Amino acid sequence: MNRHILAKDVQEFIKANRERSPAEIALKKSPFPNVSAAELASQIDGWQRSVRKLPTWAYSEGIYYPDKINLEQCSSEHTALIKQTLIAKGSRVIDLTGGFSVDTCYMAQEASEVIHCELNTKLSEIVAYNATVLRVPNISCFAGNGIDFLKESPDNSFDYIYVDPSRRINQGKVFLLEHCEPNIVDLQDLFFSKAPYIISKVSPLLDISTALHSLQHVRFVYVISLDNDCKELLFIQERDFIGETQIRAIRLFQDQLQSFEFTFDTERGTLSRFQKPQHYLYDPDVSITKAGAFKAVGKYFGLGKLHQHTHLYTGEQFIPEFPGRIFEVKQVLPYAVLKKNNPFEKANIATKNFPEKVEVIRKKYKIKDGGSTYLFFCTDIENQLIIIEAARVK
C-alpha cells in the first residue's frame, strides 16, 4: 500500500480525472514523484468499478482501492445487505476469507466485533485503512491464514463463522466444495467447535443437492440474484440442527427485493397444472429456477405451467408479486408459421425447452434484436413447438 496516494493533491487529481480512461492515465507521465502513472490508473479504475457495485466506497472521500481482481471477486453492496440480516445484534463474527471486506463491513453493522482474516498482507492493510475512512471501528484485521487463527482461538469464541472459499486453484476453476480452498467440508467439525453458526458463500454454479449431501446441519440455503443474474449461494449451518432445509430464493432488482421460500420435500410433493398460454405469461427469475422451485412457484401463485420442462407459467389474472418478469400474451403461433412467412423483423427472443438456440433463430429468420415485442419459442402441453408473442408488463 503506497500511502503517498492518500496525499491531498494526489486525491484531488484522482477525483478530477476519475471519469477518464485508466489506460489513458497509465500512458501519461505521473505529476507526482512518489506515485506512478500505473498506480493513479489503478485507483481511477477502482473507483469506476465501484460506482455501481460499491457506491458507499465510491462516494466516500479517501478510499484506497486494491488490485482489480479483488474488486471483481468481492460481493456487491446489494448482496452484502442480505448477509447483514443473518447476523444477530451484538454477536461476534470471524470472516475467514475477508477479501476487500464488503461483507465484513455490512456484518459489522450488526455485530459487536468482526475479525477480518486475509492472507494478502497488502489487501489486509488496505482494508484496515478503509475501515477508518468508513467509520467501522469494530473490524479487527488479521493478516494471515484465517484457519490458523481459528485453530488458535478457544472453543465457542464466535457466534458466526463466515467463509467464502476460493473457487480458483492453480489458476483453474473448481466447482465441488471439496476442491475449494479452504475445504469447508473437511473443516466442519473445527468450525462447529468455535461457533454455533457457519455461513458459507459458494459458487452460484454449485449444485445445491450435492452440497447438501456434503454439509451438515444446513438450516437455510439462500439463492441470491441481482437483475436476473444469479450471484451467490449461501449455506447457513446451525450446530445440532436436525430438520428440513429451507430454500430461500432472493430476487434483487431495481432497488426492490422479492423472496420465495420452499423445501425440496414440498417441491417433490407438488403436482403442476398444465395449460395452454392464457392472458398473462410469467417468466420466473433465475433465483427461482436455480433454487429448483419448478412446481412450487406455480402452485403458490395459482398458475398453470406450459409443459413439464417448459419453465413458463400462465394465468388469466395479473399477479404483480410474482418473482420474475410478467408479460401480456398477444398471440400464440405454431413454430412452422415462420418457415412460410416471418412477420417479425425485430424482437427480444427467449427459448424455453426448445431445440434451437436464440442465435440460430435470429440468423435463420433474420430477426433483429430489441424493440418492445417479446417472442418465446417453447414447447407446449401437447409437445408442439410454439411461438408466444408478448408485451412486457412493467
Side-chain angles (χ1 to χ4, degrees):
M1 179 177 174
N2 181 359
R3 291 189 173 266
H4 292 289
I5 287 173
L6 304 174
K8 184 179 178 182
D9 56 345
V10 178
Q11 287 292 303
E12 287 175 349
F13 176 89
I14 292 169
K15 186 174 182 178
N17 291 275
R18 64 189 183 186
E19 304 282 356
R20 295 175 63 185
S21 164
E24 179 187 339
I25 297 295
L27 291 173
K28 292 191 173 184
K29 187 177 185 300
S30 171
F32 309 105
N34 298 312
V35 180
S36 69
E39 288 174 316
L40 292 172
S42 177
Q43 293 301 301
I44 290 169
D45 178 75
W47 182 85
Q48 292 176 0
R49 290 176 184 274
S50 299
V51 168
R52 293 189 64 187
K53 188 176 184 179
L54 308 171
T56 299
W57 276 254
Y59 292 106
S60 295
E61 297 288 338
I63 288 292
Y64 194 110
Y65 296 98
D67 295 336
K68 67 178 182 179
I69 189 169
N70 303 128
L71 289 170
E72 289 170 348
Q73 293 177 345
C74 74
S75 297
S76 70
E77 289 194 56
H78 291 88
T79 57
L81 271 168
I82 303 298
K83 288 115 178 177
Q84 186 184 79
T85 67
L86 304 176
I87 304 300
K89 199 77 174 175
S91 55
R92 195 159 187 257
V93 181
I94 181 168
D95 185 345
L96 297 177
T97 51
F100 189 47
S101 80
V102 179
D103 290 328
T104 309
C105 286
Y106 271 85
M107 290 188 289
Q109 305 302 311
E110 294 296 319
S112 61
E113 181 185 16
V114 182
I115 308 295
H116 174 279
C117 303
E118 175 52 51
L119 281 167
N120 183 330
T121 54
K122 177 185 173 183
L123 183 57
S124 182
E125 184 184 4
I126 291 171
V127 168
Y129 162 75
N130 284 341
T132 64
V133 174
L134 295 169
R135 298 180 182 177
V136 191
N138 57 332
I139 293 176
S140 301
C141 291
F142 170 71
N145 189 315
I147 302 301
D148 293 340
F149 186 98
L150 196 65
K151 287 178 178 177
E152 295 299 318
S153 301
D155 287 355
N156 296 308
S157 293
F158 303 97
D159 298 295
Y160 299 89
I161 292 171
Y162 178 73
V163 58
D164 177 6
S166 173
R167 275 88 74 181
R168 286 189 175 274
I169 309 298
N170 298 323
Q171 297 183 340
K173 283 190 175 183
V174 296
F175 301 105
L176 293 177
L177 287 180
E178 293 85 344
H179 296 162
C180 295
E181 183 61 41
N183 183 339
I184 62 175
V185 176
D186 288 351
L187 291 167
Q188 290 177 94
D189 288 342
L190 171 66
F191 288 175
F192 277 128
S193 72
K194 307 298 181 181
Y197 297 97
I198 306 166
I199 303 173
S200 300
K201 171 187 166 183
V202 304
S203 167
L205 298 177
L206 185 77
D207 181 74
I208 295 173
S209 297
T210 302
L212 288 175
H213 285 298
S214 301
L215 297 177
Q216 308 163 16
H217 311 302
V218 180
R219 184 156 195 165
F220 298 105
V221 176
Y222 281 67
V223 184
I224 305 171
S225 74
L226 178 61
D227 296 330
N228 204 31
D229 183 10
C230 191
K231 293 294 186 181
E232 296 178 3
L233 292 184
L234 299 179
F235 287 78
I236 293 89
Q237 296 168 263
E238 182 179 335
R239 184 196 289 161
D240 300 328
F241 171 75
I242 297 173
E244 208 174 346
T245 301
Q246 298 287 316
I247 315 294
R248 290 180 176 172
I250 306 291
R251 179 196 184 204
L252 303 173
F253 68 108
Q254 298 174 355
D255 293 326
Q256 298 181 59
L257 183 151
Q258 287 179 321
S259 66
F260 182 77
E261 186 170 328
F262 71 106
T263 67
F264 283 150
D265 279 355
T266 301
E267 175 68 16
R268 284 188 287 267
T270 298
L271 295 176
S272 293
R273 174 170 54 89
F274 298 104
Q275 280 185 301
K276 287 183 174 292
Q278 305 296 302
H279 188 72
Y280 290 101
L281 188 71
Y282 294 85
D283 181 18
D285 183 73
V286 67
S287 62
I288 298 292
T289 54
K290 174 62 186 179
F294 301 117
K295 296 183 289 184
V297 72
K299 177 78 171 179
Y300 182 85
F301 289 100
L303 298 171
K305 197 176 182 189
L306 297 194
H307 183 280
Q308 180 182 356
H309 303 298
T310 303
H311 304 311
L312 289 170
Y313 306 84
T314 190
E316 287 297 321
Q317 304 300 317
F318 176 60
I319 305 171
E321 299 82 13
F322 182 83
R325 301 187 301 171
I326 306 173
F327 298 85
E328 188 175 8
V329 175
K330 298 301 182 184
Q331 64 173 330
V332 180
L333 302 169
Y335 177 52
V337 164
L338 283 195
K339 298 177 182 178
K340 300 175 183 177
N341 177 38
N342 172 25
F344 306 108
E345 294 183 0
K346 187 176 185 180
N348 303 280
I349 296 177
T351 57
K352 304 278 185 176
N353 187 25
F354 197 81
E356 292 183 337
K357 294 182 178 180
V358 171
E359 53 269 26
V360 173
I361 294 170
R362 286 199 183 284
K363 185 175 181 181
K364 185 184 289 187
Y365 300 107
K366 298 181 174 58
I367 303 174
K368 296 179 182 178
D369 187 25
S372 59
T373 297
Y374 287 78
L375 300 178
F376 289 87
F377 290 73
C378 55
T379 304
D380 71 4
I381 186 175
E382 297 174 346
N383 288 312
Q384 299 299 309
L385 300 180
I386 61 171
I387 306 166
I388 302 173
E389 179 187 358
R392 180 85 181 267
V393 180
K394 297 295 185 181

